[in-house]
Amino acid sequence: MIDFLIIGGGIAGLSAGARLSQHGTVVVLEAEDALGYHASGRSAALFEESYGPPSVVALNKAGAAFLRTQNGGYLTPRGLMLVGAVEQPDIFEADRADLNMVKITMDQAISRVPILNPDKVGFAAISEAAFDIDTDRLLQDFARTIRQNGGTVSTKSKVTGIRKEKHWVVEANEIFEARTLVNAAGAWVDEVAQLAGLPGIGITPRRRSMARLPAPGGHDVSVWPMMLGAGETWYAKPDAGKLLVSPSEADPVPPQDAYADDMVLAEGLARYEELMTEPVTRVETNWAGLRSFAPDGTLVLGRDPLDPSFVWSGGQGGYGFQTSPAASQLLCDLVVGNTPELKPDIVGMLTPYRLKR
């Protein structure tokens, strides 16, 4: 009899499994050939404490020390620059205030990103408290913790049936029996709930596309900050000597192995290009990922009100990696009966009990 059976081998499932493995036997089932195949493998991989709604910011702050220090730390300095067009003063200022960023001059901005077009860019702000996350190492370390504590992480294990007897019986490549079922299936969490005979919570998967460009103008982009267009209409991030550019779309789509929409990608690249002196001459590759949102836009963590042996770890909404240390700890506390370290009002924003079904 398994204590905690987790469906989903992305950051939500693996981080929850690592925490729960200190309290009982854990088995993680991942349908794909590799861990973190879907949203977790297509993340922008940035940590910025002030980015997200209040409950997400609280999780960011609570997990910051873990990301900075655990296993030597998972963060390296990147910086985040907010860029506003001449005609966007109000949008720029609202974003700057929300992200607690410091306004800088155009000369200062161009010294950091020399391809900014001073005729088009009217405003810029910077946060030095933004970091790249080593997402692959974080995933693998959570998986390693599960195994070191006697648990199992299994890929190519698509769940095909779930039924409740005195305990959970889950059909995949074999039959698993568990006292507690943790639903960390990303875009598929509502489908897993329905398979288990429970109503979904209204999760909406939303596509976000990405293009990889050669380094613009042959510049060394490794020292550039990530750039965010005012109104979050695009962003660009250095990656392995290239530049990743996204249109920052959030288009609802069914759960799937997502792919970029060519027209949406082209429109986003045009918004980015309009503010730069270097044109987009070639897209080396493109892809898309799904970010899954609850109706109120924040994570869903904890026991289901209708069946407490069914646990939710969903609705990460693109904040999965940066919230994972604190979100997984909260989920574990709620499952094993410990008092959460987070304030009660924040916990209330995150548990399934807030959602009427």
Side-chain angles (χ1 to χ4, degrees):
M1 179 66 64
I2 300 161
D3 291 312
F4 308 105
L5 180 62
I6 299 173
I7 300 176
I11 187 60
L14 293 175
S15 60
R19 303 293 195 181
L20 291 168
S21 67
Q22 302 172 57
H23 302 276
T25 54
V26 166
V27 171
V28 177
L29 302 180
E30 167 55 47
E32 304 294 348
D33 294 352
L35 300 174
Y37 178 83
H38 290 287
S40 294
R42 309 173 198 192
S43 167
L46 190 81
F47 177 76
E48 218 293 348
E49 281 191 16
S50 300
Y51 183 58
S55 61
V56 168
V57 172
L59 291 171
N60 294 344
K61 293 181 181 297
F66 181 102
L67 291 173
R68 291 193 180 104
T69 63
Q70 189 76 14
N71 298 321
Y74 298 93
L75 305 180
T76 53
R78 170 59 59 196
L80 177 65
M81 181 183 291
L82 179 66
V83 178
V86 173
E87 65 274 12
Q88 293 182 302
D90 294 339
I91 297 173
F92 169 85
E93 183 54 32
D95 287 350
R96 187 204 63 76
D98 284 345
L99 291 167
N100 195 28
M101 300 175 78
V102 177
K103 194 169 182 179
I104 58 176
T105 66
M106 280 308 305
D107 286 344
Q108 290 172 317
I110 291 172
S111 72
R112 299 287 296 268
V113 181
I115 66 169
L116 290 175
N117 188 338
D119 295 329
K120 298 290 186 178
V121 178
F123 314 93
I126 195 76
S127 168
E128 301 295 355
F131 302 85
D132 288 340
I133 307 173
D134 189 338
T135 54
D136 182 65
R137 188 162 66 86
L138 186 58
L139 278 172
Q140 296 305 326
D141 283 354
F142 280 134
R144 185 177 299 110
T145 297
I146 295 169
R147 296 185 180 109
Q148 287 173 343
N149 288 335
T152 301
V153 179
S154 179
T155 56
K156 302 180 184 178
S157 299
K158 180 177 175 61
V159 172
T160 55
I162 304 173
R163 66 182 185 274
K164 182 71 178 290
E165 297 178 354
K166 291 182 179 179
H167 50 264
W168 292 105
V169 179
V170 177
E171 300 172 22
N173 49 348
E174 59 181 283
I175 302 297
F176 299 88
E177 299 183 41
R179 296 183 177 87
T180 299
L181 186 63
V182 180
N183 181 9
W188 289 266
V189 289
D190 273 0
E191 292 187 2
V192 167
Q194 290 157 10
L195 198 61
L198 292 166
I201 53 176
I203 290 291
T204 302
R206 295 183 179 273
R207 184 193 62 234
R208 176 151 290 182
S209 302
M210 187 79 73
R212 177 179 281 116
L213 312 180
H219 288 279
D220 176 11
V221 301
S222 65
V223 296
W224 290 7
M226 179 173 172
M227 291 179 283
L228 178 67
E232 204 168 345
T233 55
W234 61 270
Y235 69 78
K237 185 173 187 281
D239 179 71
K242 312 290 184 178
L243 194 66
L244 305 181
V245 179
S246 171
S248 292
E249 87 272 31
D251 297 335
V253 296
Q256 60 184 271
D257 188 355
Y259 55 90
D261 181 286
D262 290 343
M263 184 60 69
V264 170
L265 195 59
E267 291 171 350
L269 288 171
R271 292 192 293 270
Y272 152 83
E273 187 179 38
E274 186 177 0
L275 301 180
M276 307 296 154
T277 57
E278 292 287 340
V280 175
T281 57
R282 180 163 59 95
V283 173
E284 293 187 347
T285 187
N286 66 71
W287 64 91
L290 298 185
R291 303 176 308 142
S292 300
F293 290 87
D296 59 2
T298 193
L299 287 74
V300 184
L301 304 168
R303 295 184 181 276
D304 189 279
L306 301 179
D307 188 335
S309 68
F310 187 93
V311 176
W312 290 87
S313 180
Q316 278 71 23
Y319 308 111
F321 278 102
Q322 66 180 25
T323 60
S324 61
S328 59
Q329 186 60 60
L330 172 60
L331 181 141
C332 180
D333 289 339
L334 293 171
V335 169
V336 304
N338 292 337
T339 300
E341 294 181 5
L342 292 168
K343 294 179 179 179
D345 61 325
I346 297 297
V347 175
M349 295 178 188
L350 295 165
T351 65
Y353 289 83
R354 75 187 192 266
L355 301 171
K356 296 179 180 180
R357 294 189 291 165

